[in-house]
């Protein structure tokens, strides 16, 4: 992705009215698409043993799709909820890197940071880092973040209430929803050979360790594969300096 | 359940705040970036494997596998996210009839 260098970022947008309209339109579109994802999160979470209130608190306070799915996945499988929380935090590490990149791009006043931080997710980052001017990057970040936040939380509530009425979620095949959702998140990251090898190895480590460690821990062991592969002295392919966020909701 | 909900939410929020407040220097460290790029790949792959092929502490193949294979097909056909999930659930449910 050819994200503009920060030094080249324009301070004023030459086509502001047009830019503003297209940024806002994209933000609402991404919000609606993410809402569909939130619907499935609400459903899966409230059939995994969490209350509708807990489900909604996750979407409001954690607000990062992959982490939320990971947490309720471990709980749904009967694992220790704290193991699920650890997995969720590890998946959330990428938001920290997005934040580092966005800080230079948006140049936020310190008092806005606590609010902006909550909106640092795949979608808002992807929309902000491709802009040519600072005003456009700022608008893209805030509009996408707020739009996704609103749709994601509304959809979580609806999905949670609807699924809570079900007696056995397995009848509807809902236990296949989470792995399918993870697959959709993973597939755009597998274009190169190295991440593909890491994915296969991580899946293998997890499956082999399942009989021997508590539920949820195999996923944490698999994270070690990423660390070992990442710190090798000579990586085959240089890492993407943009810390590329994907266009799919996560 | 509440402690896990609160710990997960707080830690994810703290990571976001730390990221947006830190200097950019860490981004110039190639190894740190490389690990950051591979971490979600490893975690997602492990989640898919365990949630598709295991129950509690044993390998356990059931209708979910068919659902996830159908999801792979839907992704290959560039289906939108919700369609992928609905296809997986529908195929799994039909296999259980």
């Amino acid at each position: 992705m050819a994200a503009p260098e920060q030094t080249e970022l324009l301070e004023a947008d030459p086509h502001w009215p047009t830019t503003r309209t297209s940024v806002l339109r994209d933000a609402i579109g991404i919000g609606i698409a993410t809402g569909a994802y939130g619907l499935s999160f609400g459903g899966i979470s409230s059939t995994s043993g969490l209350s509708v209130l807990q489900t909604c608190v996750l979407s409001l306070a954690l607000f990062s799709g992959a982490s939320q799915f990971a947490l309720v996945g471990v709980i749904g499988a009967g694992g220790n909820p704290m193991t699920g929380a650890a997995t969720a935090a590890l998946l959330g590490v990428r938001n920290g890197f997005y934040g580092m990149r966005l800080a230079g791009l948006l140049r936020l006043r310190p008092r806005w940071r606590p609010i902006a931080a909550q909106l640092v997710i795949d979608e808002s980052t992807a929309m902000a880092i491709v802009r040519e001017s600072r005003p456009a990057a700022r608008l893209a970040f805030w509009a996408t973040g707020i739009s996704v936040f609103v749709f994601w939380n509304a959809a979580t509530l609806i999905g949670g209430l609807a699924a809570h009425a079900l007696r056995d979620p397995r009848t509807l095949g809902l236990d296949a929803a989470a792995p399918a959702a993870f697959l959709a998140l993973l597939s755009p990251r597998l274009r190169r050979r190295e991440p593909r090898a890491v994915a296969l190895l991580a899946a293998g480590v997890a499956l082999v360790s399942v009989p021997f460690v508590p539920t949820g821990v195999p996923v944490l062991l698999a994270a070690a594969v990423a660390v070992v592969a990442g710190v090798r002295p000579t990586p085959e392919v240089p890492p993407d300096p943009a810390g590329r966020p994907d266009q799919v909701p996560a | 359940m509440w402690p896990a909900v609160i710990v997960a939410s707080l830690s994810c929020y703290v990571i976001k705040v730390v990221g947006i407040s830190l200097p950019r220097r860490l981004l110039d460290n190639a190894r740190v970036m490389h690990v950051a790029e591979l971490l979600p790949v490893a975690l997602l792959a492990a989640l898919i494997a365990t949630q598709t092929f295991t129950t509690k502490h044993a390998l356990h193949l059931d209708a979910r596998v068919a659902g996830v294979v159908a999801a792979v097909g839907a992704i290959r056909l560039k289906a939108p996210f919700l369609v992928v999930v609905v296809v997986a659930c529908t195929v799994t449910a039909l296999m259980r009839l």
Side-chain angles (χ1 to χ4, degrees):
Chain A
M1 181 181 303
E5 278 303 311
Q6 282 175 34
T7 43
E8 294 168 12
L9 200 65
L10 300 172
E11 291 299 335
D13 196 293
H15 316 287
W16 182 243
T18 327
T19 309
R20 189 177 53 194
T21 313
S22 84
V23 166
L24 291 177
R25 200 181 43 221
D26 288 355
I28 291 173
I30 289 179
I32 294 171
T34 317
Y37 184 40
L39 220 49
S40 41
F41 171 73
I44 293 165
S45 176
S46 72
T47 52
S48 300
L50 283 90
S51 67
V52 175
L53 179 64
Q54 287 164 335
T55 299
C56 288
V57 166
L58 280 178
S59 280
L60 285 165
L62 201 162
F63 189 52
S64 194
S67 293
Q68 293 178 229
F69 269 110
L71 174 63
V72 304
V74 171
I75 293 172
N80 183 334
M82 281 303 170
T83 311
T87 312
L90 275 179
L91 270 167
V93 166
R94 72 189 188 294
N95 292 326
F97 286 91
Y98 295 164
M100 272 185 247
R101 186 158 166 76
L102 286 170
L105 206 62
L106 306 176
R107 294 205 184 140
L108 296 161
R109 296 209 181 123
R111 66 185 157 130
W112 285 108
R113 277 185 203 149
I115 301 168
Q118 182 65 337
L119 301 179
V120 174
I121 50 170
D122 290 328
E123 294 85 345
S124 56
T125 308
M127 289 286 285
I129 61 174
V130 294
R131 305 293 156 184
E132 285 166 9
S133 72
R134 200 178 311 281
R138 282 186 177 140
L139 181 67
F141 170 76
W142 287 104
T144 310
I146 292 168
S147 167
V148 170
F149 190 83
V150 168
F151 282 104
W152 175 253
N153 278 286
T156 298
L157 177 62
I158 296 168
L161 289 174
H164 217 67
L166 293 174
R167 264 168 304 148
D168 183 8
R170 282 171 43 90
T171 321
L172 290 182
L174 278 180
D175 49 339
F182 289 133
L183 259 179
L185 293 177
L186 178 63
S187 62
R189 296 173 190 263
L190 296 182
R191 293 199 187 100
R192 287 190 292 107
R193 193 192 301 162
E194 191 200 23
R196 262 183 260 155
V198 166
L200 276 179
L201 207 58
V205 165
L207 287 181
V208 167
S209 59
V210 155
F212 310 107
V213 294
T215 306
V217 175
V219 175
L220 296 179
L221 293 178
V225 174
V227 176
V228 172
V231 297
R232 274 176 317 152
T234 47
E236 310 158 20
V237 187
D240 182 346
R244 182 190 55 245
D246 298 301
Q247 292 294 344
V248 294
Chain B
M1 222 62 93
W2 275 115
V5 168
I6 292 164
V7 167
S9 300
L10 264 184
S11 47
C12 283
Y13 179 65
V14 168
I15 289 165
K16 289 174 177 174
V17 172
V18 168
I20 212 166
S21 312
L22 272 183
R24 281 191 88 240
R25 260 178 321 201
L26 258 180
L27 280 186
D28 300 331
N29 184 318
R31 284 189 192 172
V32 171
M33 286 315 296
H34 201 200
V35 172
E37 195 191 347
L38 293 177
L39 199 54
V41 171
L43 289 167
L44 291 171
L47 284 164
I48 295 163
T50 53
Q51 296 191 9
T52 305
F53 302 113
T54 71
T55 302
K56 302 281 178 194
H57 290 291
L59 294 184
H60 177 77
L61 301 181
D62 65 8
R64 284 174 300 175
V65 179
V68 173
V69 170
V72 172
I75 290 169
R76 291 226 153 171
L77 294 172
K78 304 206 188 300
F81 182 84
L82 198 62
V83 174
V84 172
V85 174
V86 169
V87 163
C89 294
T90 310
V91 169
T92 306
L94 288 175
M95 295 285 288
R96 291 205 174 113
L97 284 181

